[in-house]
mmCIF file of all heavy atoms in Angstrom:
data_model
loop_
_atom_site.group_PDB
_atom_site.id
_atom_site.type_symbol
_atom_site.label_atom_id
_atom_site.label_comp_id
_atom_site.label_asym_id
_atom_site.label_seq_id
_atom_site.Cartn_x
_atom_site.Cartn_y
_atom_site.Cartn_z
ATOM 1 N N ASP C 234 65.019 168.501 88.877
ATOM 2 C CA ASP C 234 64.851 169.902 88.450
ATOM 3 C C ASP C 234 63.398 170.326 88.581
ATOM 4 O O ASP C 234 63.101 171.441 89.034
ATOM 5 C CB ASP C 234 65.317 170.071 86.994
ATOM 6 C CG ASP C 234 66.827 169.914 86.858
ATOM 7 O OD1 ASP C 234 67.530 170.054 87.885
ATOM 8 O OD2 ASP C 234 67.290 169.635 85.731
ATOM 9 N N ARG C 235 62.484 169.459 88.166
ATOM 10 C CA ARG C 235 61.054 169.796 88.255
ATOM 11 C C ARG C 235 60.621 169.946 89.708
ATOM 12 O O ARG C 235 59.804 170.814 90.047
ATOM 13 C CB ARG C 235 60.221 168.703 87.565
ATOM 14 C CG ARG C 235 60.310 168.740 86.042
ATOM 15 C CD ARG C 235 59.591 167.564 85.415
ATOM 16 N NE ARG C 235 58.185 167.501 85.827
ATOM 17 C CZ ARG C 235 57.376 166.474 85.538
ATOM 18 N NH1 ARG C 235 57.853 165.440 84.847
ATOM 19 N NH2 ARG C 235 56.127 166.497 85.945
ATOM 20 N N TYR C 236 61.174 169.078 90.576
ATOM 21 C CA TYR C 236 60.813 169.127 92.002
ATOM 22 C C TYR C 236 61.240 170.457 92.621
ATOM 23 O O TYR C 236 60.456 171.126 93.312
ATOM 24 C CB TYR C 236 61.477 167.948 92.727
ATOM 25 C CG TYR C 236 61.307 167.956 94.231
ATOM 26 C CD1 TYR C 236 60.063 167.735 94.819
ATOM 27 C CD2 TYR C 236 62.404 168.184 95.062
ATOM 28 C CE1 TYR C 236 59.915 167.746 96.202
ATOM 29 C CE2 TYR C 236 62.275 168.187 96.443
ATOM 30 C CZ TYR C 236 61.027 167.965 97.013
ATOM 31 O OH TYR C 236 60.878 167.985 98.375
ATOM 32 N N PHE C 237 62.507 170.867 92.332
ATOM 33 C CA PHE C 237 62.986 172.131 92.883
ATOM 34 C C PHE C 237 62.325 173.328 92.215
ATOM 35 O O PHE C 237 62.284 174.429 92.776
ATOM 36 C CB PHE C 237 64.509 172.223 92.765
ATOM 37 C CG PHE C 237 65.234 171.377 93.770
ATOM 38 C CD1 PHE C 237 66.095 170.366 93.367
ATOM 39 C CD2 PHE C 237 65.050 171.592 95.127
ATOM 40 C CE1 PHE C 237 66.753 169.584 94.300
ATOM 41 C CE2 PHE C 237 65.710 170.816 96.068
ATOM 42 C CZ PHE C 237 66.560 169.807 95.656
ATOM 43 N N GLY C 238 61.797 173.088 91.006
ATOM 44 C CA GLY C 238 61.062 174.164 90.324
ATOM 45 C C GLY C 238 59.630 174.299 90.806
ATOM 46 O O GLY C 238 58.884 175.145 90.313
ATOM 47 N N GLY C 239 59.240 173.425 91.752
ATOM 48 C CA GLY C 239 57.898 173.520 92.334
ATOM 49 C C GLY C 239 56.820 172.827 91.524
ATOM 50 O O GLY C 239 55.622 173.001 91.796
ATOM 51 N N GLU C 240 57.223 172.030 90.514
ATOM 52 C CA GLU C 240 56.223 171.332 89.689
ATOM 53 C C GLU C 240 55.648 170.125 90.427
ATOM 54 O O GLU C 240 56.322 169.491 91.243
ATOM 55 C CB GLU C 240 56.852 170.847 88.376
ATOM 56 C CG GLU C 240 57.109 171.942 87.368
ATOM 57 C CD GLU C 240 57.561 171.365 86.032
ATOM 58 O OE1 GLU C 240 56.922 170.389 85.558
ATOM 59 O OE2 GLU C 240 58.557 171.856 85.489
ATOM 60 N N GLU C 241 54.421 169.785 90.107
ATOM 61 C CA GLU C 241 53.768 168.594 90.653
ATOM 62 C C GLU C 241 54.007 167.411 89.715
ATOM 63 O O GLU C 241 54.036 167.587 88.486
ATOM 64 C CB GLU C 241 52.261 168.827 90.801
ATOM 65 C CG GLU C 241 51.880 169.735 91.952
ATOM 66 C CD GLU C 241 52.018 169.029 93.289
ATOM 67 O OE1 GLU C 241 51.705 167.822 93.372
ATOM 68 O OE2 GLU C 241 52.455 169.688 94.258
ATOM 69 N N PHE C 242 54.160 166.226 90.268
ATOM 70 C CA PHE C 242 54.247 165.012 89.456
ATOM 71 C C PHE C 242 52.856 164.394 89.338
ATOM 72 O O PHE C 242 52.057 164.454 90.284
ATOM 73 C CB PHE C 242 55.196 163.987 90.096
ATOM 74 C CG PHE C 242 56.613 164.466 90.236
ATOM 75 C CD1 PHE C 242 57.258 164.458 91.466
ATOM 76 C CD2 PHE C 242 57.314 164.933 89.131
ATOM 77 C CE1 PHE C 242 58.561 164.898 91.600
ATOM 78 C CE2 PHE C 242 58.627 165.374 89.252
ATOM 79 C CZ PHE C 242 59.245 165.363 90.489
ATOM 80 N N SER C 243 52.606 163.794 88.195
ATOM 81 C CA SER C 243 51.319 163.109 88.024
ATOM 82 C C SER C 243 51.336 161.791 88.784
ATOM 83 O O SER C 243 52.406 161.263 89.118
ATOM 84 C CB SER C 243 51.054 162.834 86.543
ATOM 85 O OG SER C 243 51.951 161.831 86.069
ATOM 86 N N ASP C 244 50.144 161.249 89.042
ATOM 87 C CA ASP C 244 50.057 159.955 89.728
ATOM 88 C C ASP C 244 50.798 158.875 88.951
ATOM 89 O O ASP C 244 51.475 158.024 89.537
ATOM 90 C CB ASP C 244 48.586 159.546 89.913
ATOM 91 C CG ASP C 244 47.877 160.420 90.944
ATOM 92 O OD1 ASP C 244 48.548 161.264 91.548
ATOM 93 O OD2 ASP C 244 46.652 160.238 91.124
ATOM 94 N N ASP C 245 50.681 158.909 87.627
ATOM 95 C CA ASP C 245 51.343 157.882 86.803
ATOM 96 C C ASP C 245 52.860 158.010 86.882
ATOM 97 O O ASP C 245 53.581 157.000 86.908
ATOM 98 C CB ASP C 245 50.890 158.000 85.338
ATOM 99 C CG ASP C 245 49.470 157.494 85.145
ATOM 100 O OD1 ASP C 245 48.978 156.761 86.034
ATOM 101 O OD2 ASP C 245 48.850 157.833 84.121
ATOM 102 N N GLU C 246 53.365 159.247 86.912
ATOM 103 C CA GLU C 246 54.813 159.452 87.039
ATOM 104 C C GLU C 246 55.308 158.940 88.392
ATOM 105 O O GLU C 246 56.371 158.320 88.486
ATOM 106 C CB GLU C 246 55.148 160.939 86.880
ATOM 107 C CG GLU C 246 55.067 161.434 85.447
ATOM 108 C CD GLU C 246 55.302 162.929 85.350
ATOM 109 O OE1 GLU C 246 54.887 163.666 86.261
ATOM 110 O OE2 GLU C 246 55.909 163.365 84.347
ATOM 111 N N ILE C 247 54.524 159.202 89.418
ATOM 112 C CA ILE C 247 54.899 158.728 90.759
ATOM 113 C C ILE C 247 54.945 157.209 90.779
ATOM 114 O O ILE C 247 55.900 156.602 91.284
ATOM 115 C CB ILE C 247 53.913 159.263 91.821
ATOM 116 C CG1 ILE C 247 54.094 160.775 91.984
ATOM 117 C CG2 ILE C 247 54.127 158.565 93.161
ATOM 118 C CD1 ILE C 247 53.065 161.432 92.876
ATOM 119 N N ARG C 248 53.917 156.573 90.215
ATOM 120 C CA ARG C 248 53.867 155.096 90.228
ATOM 121 C C ARG C 248 55.029 154.498 89.438
ATOM 122 O O ARG C 248 55.632 153.508 89.854
ATOM 123 C CB ARG C 248 52.531 154.610 89.652
ATOM 124 C CG ARG C 248 51.345 154.858 90.578
ATOM 125 C CD ARG C 248 50.118 154.083 90.113
ATOM 126 N NE ARG C 248 48.983 154.347 90.966
ATOM 127 C CZ ARG C 248 48.040 155.253 90.706
ATOM 128 N NH1 ARG C 248 48.094 155.969 89.591
ATOM 129 N NH2 ARG C 248 47.030 155.437 91.536
ATOM 130 N N ALA C 249 55.324 155.078 88.273
ATOM 131 C CA ALA C 249 56.424 154.562 87.446
ATOM 132 C C ALA C 249 57.751 154.657 88.187
ATOM 133 O O ALA C 249 58.562 153.718 88.167
ATOM 134 C CB ALA C 249 56.487 155.327 86.127
ATOM 135 N N ALA C 250 57.960 155.794 88.861
ATOM 136 C CA ALA C 250 59.207 155.963 89.613
ATOM 137 C C ALA C 250 59.257 155.007 90.797
ATOM 138 O O ALA C 250 60.306 154.432 91.116
ATOM 139 C CB ALA C 250 59.329 157.408 90.089
ATOM 140 N N LEU C 251 58.102 154.827 91.447
ATOM 141 C CA LEU C 251 58.060 153.937 92.602
ATOM 142 C C LEU C 251 58.373 152.494 92.215
ATOM 143 O O LEU C 251 59.015 151.768 92.963
ATOM 144 C CB LEU C 251 56.687 154.011 93.280
ATOM 145 C CG LEU C 251 56.416 155.291 94.082
ATOM 146 C CD1 LEU C 251 54.981 155.312 94.582
ATOM 147 C CD2 LEU C 251 57.372 155.409 95.259
ATOM 148 N N ARG C 252 57.899 152.070 91.025
ATOM 149 C CA ARG C 252 58.198 150.700 90.569
ATOM 150 C C ARG C 252 59.705 150.478 90.537
ATOM 151 O O ARG C 252 60.212 149.457 91.010
ATOM 152 C CB ARG C 252 57.606 150.458 89.173
ATOM 153 C CG ARG C 252 56.149 150.103 89.174
ATOM 154 C CD ARG C 252 55.670 149.605 87.816
ATOM 155 N NE ARG C 252 54.221 149.717 87.731
ATOM 156 C CZ ARG C 252 53.575 150.714 87.147
ATOM 157 N NH1 ARG C 252 54.258 151.684 86.556
ATOM 158 N NH2 ARG C 252 52.259 150.751 87.131
ATOM 159 N N ALA C 253 60.410 151.442 89.971
ATOM 160 C CA ALA C 253 61.874 151.318 89.875
ATOM 161 C C ALA C 253 62.508 151.335 91.264
ATOM 162 O O ALA C 253 63.413 150.551 91.559
ATOM 163 C CB ALA C 253 62.432 152.444 89.017
ATOM 164 N N ASN C 254 62.006 152.206 92.134
ATOM 165 C CA ASN C 254 62.576 152.316 93.474
ATOM 166 C C ASN C 254 62.321 151.079 94.317
ATOM 167 O O ASN C 254 63.192 150.627 95.065
ATOM 168 C CB ASN C 254 61.994 153.547 94.187
ATOM 169 C CG ASN C 254 62.572 154.844 93.656
ATOM 170 O OD1 ASN C 254 62.708 155.012 92.450
ATOM 171 N ND2 ASN C 254 62.900 155.762 94.541
ATOM 172 N N VAL C 255 61.113 150.539 94.221
ATOM 173 C CA VAL C 255 60.779 149.338 94.993
ATOM 174 C C VAL C 255 61.630 148.168 94.514
ATOM 175 O O VAL C 255 62.144 147.379 95.320
ATOM 176 C CB VAL C 255 59.274 149.003 94.885
ATOM 177 C CG1 VAL C 255 58.979 147.639 95.515
ATOM 178 C CG2 VAL C 255 58.440 150.078 95.571
ATOM 179 N N LEU C 256 61.809 148.071 93.211
ATOM 180 C CA LEU C 256 62.597 146.974 92.644
ATOM 181 C C LEU C 256 64.037 147.010 93.152
ATOM 182 O O LEU C 256 64.605 145.969 93.493
ATOM 183 C CB LEU C 256 62.575 147.048 91.112
ATOM 184 C CG LEU C 256 63.339 145.957 90.358
ATOM 185 C CD1 LEU C 256 62.762 144.578 90.670
ATOM 186 C CD2 LEU C 256 63.311 146.208 88.859
ATOM 187 N N GLU C 257 64.614 148.199 93.254
ATOM 188 C CA GLU C 257 66.014 148.277 93.703
ATOM 189 C C GLU C 257 66.127 148.389 95.220
ATOM 190 O O GLU C 257 67.229 148.401 95.774
ATOM 191 C CB GLU C 257 66.713 149.455 93.037
ATOM 192 C CG GLU C 257 66.205 150.811 93.463
ATOM 193 C CD GLU C 257 66.917 151.950 92.751
ATOM 194 O OE1 GLU C 257 67.406 151.734 91.632
ATOM 195 O OE2 GLU C 257 66.979 153.046 93.332
ATOM 196 N N GLY C 258 64.978 148.467 95.916
ATOM 197 C CA GLY C 258 64.996 148.464 97.377
ATOM 198 C C GLY C 258 65.199 149.823 98.012
ATOM 199 O O GLY C 258 65.361 149.922 99.228
ATOM 200 N N SER C 259 65.185 150.888 97.215
ATOM 201 C CA SER C 259 65.377 152.222 97.790
ATOM 202 C C SER C 259 64.086 152.801 98.353
ATOM 203 O O SER C 259 64.098 153.826 99.032
ATOM 204 C CB SER C 259 65.970 153.180 96.751
ATOM 205 O OG SER C 259 65.143 153.236 95.603
ATOM 206 N N ILE C 260 62.950 152.190 98.035
ATOM 207 C CA ILE C 260 61.660 152.535 98.642
ATOM 208 C C ILE C 260 61.011 151.255 99.141
ATOM 209 O O ILE C 260 60.983 150.243 98.430
ATOM 210 C CB ILE C 260 60.716 153.220 97.625
ATOM 211 C CG1 ILE C 260 61.149 154.667 97.411
ATOM 212 C CG2 ILE C 260 59.263 153.195 98.096
ATOM 213 C CD1 ILE C 260 60.787 155.611 98.540
ATOM 214 N N VAL C 261 60.498 151.292 100.366
ATOM 215 C CA VAL C 261 59.767 150.150 100.921
ATOM 216 C C VAL C 261 58.355 150.628 101.274
ATOM 217 O O VAL C 261 58.171 151.353 102.261
ATOM 218 C CB VAL C 261 60.466 149.577 102.168
ATOM 219 C CG1 VAL C 261 59.652 148.436 102.765
ATOM 220 C CG2 VAL C 261 61.870 149.104 101.820
ATOM 221 N N PRO C 262 57.358 150.274 100.448
ATOM 222 C CA PRO C 262 55.989 150.709 100.722
ATOM 223 C C PRO C 262 55.457 150.080 102.014
ATOM 224 O O PRO C 262 55.779 148.932 102.335
ATOM 225 C CB PRO C 262 55.193 150.187 99.518
ATOM 226 C CG PRO C 262 56.215 149.882 98.474
ATOM 227 C CD PRO C 262 57.456 149.497 99.203
ATOM 228 N N VAL C 263 54.658 150.852 102.742
ATOM 229 C CA VAL C 263 53.993 150.336 103.928
ATOM 230 C C VAL C 263 52.488 150.422 103.697
ATOM 231 O O VAL C 263 51.953 151.503 103.447
ATOM 232 C CB VAL C 263 54.376 151.129 105.195
ATOM 233 C CG1 VAL C 263 53.769 150.479 106.430
ATOM 234 C CG2 VAL C 263 55.888 151.218 105.339
ATOM 235 N N LEU C 264 51.828 149.267 103.755
ATOM 236 C CA LEU C 264 50.384 149.183 103.588
ATOM 237 C C LEU C 264 49.780 148.675 104.884
ATOM 238 O O LEU C 264 50.502 148.248 105.787
ATOM 239 C CB LEU C 264 50.025 148.265 102.417
ATOM 240 C CG LEU C 264 50.484 148.721 101.020
ATOM 241 C CD1 LEU C 264 51.919 148.306 100.757
ATOM 242 C CD2 LEU C 264 49.593 148.137 99.938
ATOM 243 N N MET C 265 48.445 148.678 104.981
ATOM 244 C CA MET C 265 47.847 148.208 106.231
ATOM 245 C C MET C 265 46.438 147.689 105.964
ATOM 246 O O MET C 265 45.841 147.935 104.915
ATOM 247 C CB MET C 265 47.860 149.302 107.285
ATOM 248 C CG MET C 265 47.312 150.649 106.868
ATOM 249 S SD MET C 265 45.542 150.749 107.088
ATOM 250 C CE MET C 265 45.081 151.570 105.578
ATOM 251 N N GLY C 266 45.926 146.942 106.952
ATOM 252 C CA GLY C 266 44.578 146.408 106.811
ATOM 253 C C GLY C 266 44.204 145.521 107.977
ATOM 254 O O GLY C 266 44.908 145.445 108.991
ATOM 255 N N SER C 267 43.084 144.849 107.823
ATOM 256 C CA SER C 267 42.584 143.920 108.833
ATOM 257 C C SER C 267 42.369 142.563 108.189
ATOM 258 O O SER C 267 41.561 142.441 107.259
ATOM 259 C CB SER C 267 41.269 144.431 109.425
ATOM 260 O OG SER C 267 40.596 143.400 110.105
ATOM 261 N N ASN C 268 43.105 141.560 108.665
ATOM 262 C CA ASN C 268 42.939 140.214 108.125
ATOM 263 C C ASN C 268 41.555 139.667 108.433
ATOM 264 O O ASN C 268 40.915 139.021 107.598
ATOM 265 C CB ASN C 268 43.999 139.273 108.706
ATOM 266 C CG ASN C 268 45.408 139.709 108.360
ATOM 267 O OD1 ASN C 268 45.612 140.558 107.495
ATOM 268 N ND2 ASN C 268 46.384 139.138 109.037
ATOM 269 N N ILE C 269 41.087 139.887 109.645
ATOM 270 C CA ILE C 269 39.800 139.337 110.079
ATOM 271 C C ILE C 269 38.655 139.901 109.244
ATOM 272 O O ILE C 269 37.735 139.177 108.844
ATOM 273 C CB ILE C 269 39.574 139.633 111.580
ATOM 274 C CG1 ILE C 269 40.583 138.843 112.421
ATOM 275 C CG2 ILE C 269 38.150 139.284 112.002
ATOM 276 C CD1 ILE C 269 40.571 139.200 113.882
ATOM 277 N N LEU C 270 38.725 141.216 108.941
ATOM 278 C CA LEU C 270 37.664 141.854 108.155
ATOM 279 C C LEU C 270 37.935 141.785 106.654
ATOM 280 O O LEU C 270 37.114 142.242 105.863
ATOM 281 C CB LEU C 270 37.529 143.326 108.575
ATOM 282 C CG LEU C 270 37.198 143.598 110.058
ATOM 283 C CD1 LEU C 270 37.194 145.098 110.328
ATOM 284 C CD2 LEU C 270 35.852 142.973 110.423
ATOM 285 N N ALA C 271 39.105 141.222 106.272
ATOM 286 C CA ALA C 271 39.521 141.149 104.858
ATOM 287 C C ALA C 271 39.533 142.536 104.221
ATOM 288 O O ALA C 271 39.122 142.723 103.075
ATOM 289 C CB ALA C 271 38.622 140.194 104.070
ATOM 290 N N ARG C 272 40.007 143.507 104.981
ATOM 291 C CA ARG C 272 40.101 144.872 104.473
ATOM 292 C C ARG C 272 41.569 145.242 104.281
ATOM 293 O O ARG C 272 42.398 145.004 105.155
ATOM 294 C CB ARG C 272 39.435 145.848 105.436
ATOM 295 C CG ARG C 272 37.928 145.714 105.438
ATOM 296 C CD ARG C 272 37.251 146.665 106.393
ATOM 297 N NE ARG C 272 35.803 146.590 106.237
ATOM 298 C CZ ARG C 272 34.927 147.214 107.004
ATOM 299 N NH1 ARG C 272 35.368 147.963 108.024
ATOM 300 N NH2 ARG C 272 33.635 147.101 106.797
ATOM 301 N N GLY C 273 41.850 145.819 103.137
ATOM 302 C CA GLY C 273 43.226 146.174 102.801
ATOM 303 C C GLY C 273 43.877 145.157 101.886
ATOM 304 O O GLY C 273 44.949 145.392 101.341
#
Side-chain angles (χ1 to χ4, degrees):
D234 291 340
R235 287 174 57 188
Y236 174 69
F237 284 120
E240 286 187 46
E241 286 286 322
F242 299 125
S243 70
D244 290 356
D245 286 342
E246 285 176 325
I247 291 173
R248 288 193 182 96
L251 286 174
R252 278 191 200 98
N254 286 44
V255 171
L256 181 61
E257 67 181 26
S259 57
I260 284 284
V261 177
V263 185
L264 296 84
M265 50 87 223
S267 164
N268 299 347
I269 293 172
L270 301 176
R272 289 180 174 174

